[in-house]
Amino acid sequence: MSDALLTPQLIRLGCRPADKEAAIREAGALLAAAGCIAPDYIASLLRREAVANTYLGNGIAIPHGMAEDRAQVLRTGIAILQIPDGLEWNPGQRTHLLCAIAARSDDHLVMLRQLTRLLQDEARLLPLLSTADPGELIAALAQPAEALPPDAEAHDLDLCEEWRLDYPNGLHARPAALWVEAARRSPAQLQVRHGNLAADAKNLISLLQLALRQGALLTVSARGPQAAEGLRQLLQAMREASLAEQTAAAIAAQRAAGQRKRALWQPSGRAVSLPGISASPGLAIGTVRILAAAQLNVADRPVSLTEGGDRLHEALAATRRQLSQLADATQAALGAAEADIFRAQAELLNDTDLITLSCQLMVAGHGVEWSWHQAVERLAEKLSALGNPLLAARAADLRDAGRRVLFQLDPSLQSRAPAEFGADTILLAADLAPSDTASLDPARIKGLATAHGGPTSHTAILARTLGLPALVAAGNALLDVADGSPAILDGDSGRLYLDPSEQDLASARGWQQRQNEERLRQQNERQEPGQTADGRRIEIAANLNRPEQVAGALEGGAEGVGLMRTEFLFLERETAPDEDEQHRTYLAMQQALQGRPLIVRALDIGGDKQVPYLKLPREDNPFLGMRGARLLLRRRELLEPQLRALYRAANSGKPLSIMFPMISSLKEITRLKGWCEGIRKELDAPTVPIGIMVEVPAAALLADQLAPYVDFFSIGTNDLTQYALAIDRQHPELAAEADSLHPAVLRLIRHTVRGAAEHRRWVGVCGGIAGDPLGAAILAGLGVDELSMSPRDIAAVKAMLRRHDYARLQGLAEQALACDSAEEVRQLLEVLA
């Protein structure tokens, strides 16, 4: 084996990882540190485990990444963890040697063959499980094939057929498993031969031992009962796997080409760096400051239940107010999705088990601070122990909210806030709570790096929203970096460069300057109308909640409000707003817009937005239950005051349209329009345009039938993606796969546009993909008339549209519709960047 594949630096002896995930992360970190993989490939190693068993047998496991992520492999390499005590890989499977494989092509197959040989040679294998010399492992795995004992000459079976392997990456575990599955369906003896080596087609290890590369000429043979049919089935499986293998290789090549085209900063020479996982893009130059983990030594000062209960009640109420204010501030500055993080935390504080346990501990003679802290930790640990990633994320939020209550009870426990650090700070921490991240001042904190966490954590989401370059999961070595030392944090590659040279600092500053100049150019042109290079008009609007947000949106380039979310009027209060309060709000929004378009979405409650005082029934799956129009049609006391307030506002003569959420049938439209018309006549108000949200596939597929009954469509791509792909968009592990550029979602959008066009109706998009410049470009190419987004995205989207002709965007849209994955669509769109 080549030294490039396995070196002493890629071997770690005497390991004791806590579990399989920890072991894979440790091996992945070795590969990343050696420059074999991009840090993101570690997540690919873990994803592979979710869909395949990489345990070879006899104590050896070979974790490797997904084929579609091969572009993240920088060079081929193998990292080995020796685990003398063994580690349960899957039930009944115990691993002692973990060999993590990063392969650009089929360079690793020779080494894989050596591993499979070791499985059958216990005399050579057992000493390797406890050796203290990494050289022995290298020698065992680097022994050239020609030095092995010669195999006996292989002979074919009775029926034979030749086939040339056309898999771009050779025969690896995934296609080999398909061969085995097909072979085992036959009672015949089946064999695959390459040269003088033959393998039992029903034995995965035997097949992998052949170390087959692309172009290998194979003889497939059979003998015994139903031999001809068995041979046919096996060859069919081998050929059918070709398409999947070639497609995966093509996507990987496209991704690699796209990455090469992106202008990412690169240091000169061999800069010392710590790898992590990219969480938020961008480059930060500054001084490292370590945020020490808060050590909470909570004193146990016993109090009576009466006194402790009163203090806890006051602390909980104060914390709820604090979280409500933080949610409002976050929503105004960052957006509704980010604000929901803190609204969800406030809801956690209503947990009856949490309050009951705190009181039980106080009755047992403990202090209120100690009791509360213990109750939070016990419940959080219980959630984490369930092994559900959603519940583990909820445990982190519970600790964050619980800490706020604790600080209300005893302010002296509050540690130094990150805001105390000076300008040009790159903040390093074991982890950061969402509330800490949201309170950072981007004028001083230039970048974030954490030892733990993941790219889908709330902290990572907030960092991206704040525009702070960030990396996560860098390991405990991050906390050993010298406080006060200079560094460059590259959020794109997920690396922290330590003590950079003057040359690298100058290069990084130049890169930053070019990026800043591009952003400045976009800002200077943000008031230009939204249109393509050849003048096709596409209205660019803002998604807002409150009248006071309008001025900032208009200053940012918004041409109107494409989505006013009215649910904020109903949240964080004890009763629903009355008609007069709503009327004042809608009128203020109209006045702030000074004659520009305003689209108001009727109350959209349900799913992930719950309002306790409405006493909605508990549902096992609220996203498929009573939400949007379904709720409005059953709760007239909610809809009627809102419609009356809206039609009163329409009497002002300023533009106003009404939009209903979660429509899935014509019956819903006609009933809602009937209510609208009755109230309009009662108030003698003008007719206003009435539109619907396209959030479920049914509405998209029925667009041509619904169009005669509505004035416009607005596509909510976040929900449409969730329902089309059957992926909860809040799931911490799956959310990244809920990509609105998936061809299935794009086809639903095109179907909506075409159905609307038949009846001269316009179509907008107010989902998250509208604010992604690449997404906006493809939406424009699909024929969308309006894009509504967060105000912070407007300048970049307008700049993207102005760079390209409509015909080019149409052509790319047609190509995107023919893709088979969101990843392939994004690779296709790299030409626009």
Side-chain angles (χ1 to χ4, degrees), residues 447-491:
L448 303 176
T450 62
H452 310 301
T456 60
S457 69
H458 284 160
T459 293
I461 292 168
L462 289 167
R464 288 193 289 273
T465 307
L466 288 166
L468 289 175
L471 63 88
V472 295
N476 290 329
L478 182 75
L479 304 179
D480 294 330
V481 175
D483 191 73
S485 60
I488 298 173
L489 189 151
D490 187 351

Side-chain angles (χ1 to χ4, degrees), residues 346 425 585:
T425 289
T585 301

Side-chain angles (χ1 to χ4, degrees), residues 109-358:
L109 292 177
V110 173
M111 185 269 198
L112 188 56
R113 180 179 172 188
Q114 294 293 88
L115 283 172
T116 56
R117 285 180 178 276
L118 276 175
L119 290 179
Q120 302 168 53
D121 190 349
E122 290 194 3
R124 294 177 62 222
L125 175 61
L126 289 177
L128 300 179
L129 306 185
S130 57
T131 181
D133 181 5
E136 292 185 12
L137 277 166
I138 294 175
L141 294 173
Q143 184 178 356
E146 56 269 23
L148 295 169
D151 296 279
E153 185 177 350
H155 297 282
D156 298 324
L157 305 179
D158 299 341
L159 298 177
C160 304
E161 188 168 334
E162 287 190 342
W163 183 71
R164 192 172 295 279
L165 185 74
D166 59 358
Y167 302 170
N169 297 300
L171 182 66
H172 53 95
R174 184 180 61 224
L178 298 177
W179 293 16
V180 170
E181 183 181 350
R184 287 178 178 173
R185 288 197 294 265
S186 171
Q189 179 186 356
L190 293 163
Q191 175 183 282
V192 176
R193 178 178 62 82
H194 178 232
N196 289 328
L197 299 177
D200 178 359
K202 298 181 181 181
N203 186 313
L204 179 66
I205 292 173
S206 181
L207 286 171
L208 292 176
Q209 278 187 304
L210 296 177
L212 299 176
R213 298 173 180 264
Q214 183 182 28
L217 181 62
L218 309 179
T219 300
V220 186
S221 58
R223 173 185 295 156
Q226 303 177 31
E229 179 61 16
L231 181 62
R232 186 194 67 79
Q233 289 180 351
L234 176 55
L235 285 165
Q236 181 179 348
M238 295 164 72
R239 294 182 180 114
E240 286 177 350
S242 295
L243 180 60
E245 289 299 300
Q246 290 167 7
T247 300
I251 291 174
Q254 288 176 338
R255 180 173 296 177
Q259 288 182 342
R260 286 193 296 271
K261 290 176 184 175
R262 284 198 288 270
L264 301 182
W265 178 77
Q266 294 289 338
S268 61
R270 295 181 174 273
V272 177
S273 66
L274 284 177
I277 297 174
S278 173
S280 180
L283 199 66
I285 305 169
T287 302
V288 164
R289 298 304 307 273
I290 307 293
L291 178 64
Q295 299 297 323
L296 292 178
N297 296 313
V298 182
D300 191 358
R301 296 182 287 265
V303 295
S304 68
L305 179 60
T306 301
E307 179 187 344
D310 288 345
R311 288 182 58 204
L312 181 57
H313 177 77
E314 292 171 1
L316 286 167
T319 302
R320 291 189 188 100
R321 289 193 298 271
Q322 186 183 63
L323 286 169
S324 177
Q325 293 165 359
L326 180 56
D328 288 345
T330 302
Q331 183 161 305
L334 306 181
E338 290 76 11
D340 285 345
I341 292 171
F342 302 109
R343 294 195 176 100
Q345 286 190 359
E347 186 60 32
L348 288 173
L349 299 180
N350 295 326
D351 187 273
T352 55
D353 289 343
L354 186 62
I355 308 300
T356 300
L357 179 55
S358 299

Side-chain angles (χ1 to χ4, degrees), residues 3 49 72 76 121 153 177 182 201 226 271 299 314 337 356 463 556 613 644 665 708 741:
D3 289 342
E49 292 302 319
Q72 296 170 5
T76 300
D121 190 349
E153 185 177 350
Q226 303 177 31
E314 292 171 1
T356 300
Y613 64 79
R644 290 181 62 85
S665 70
L741 287 181

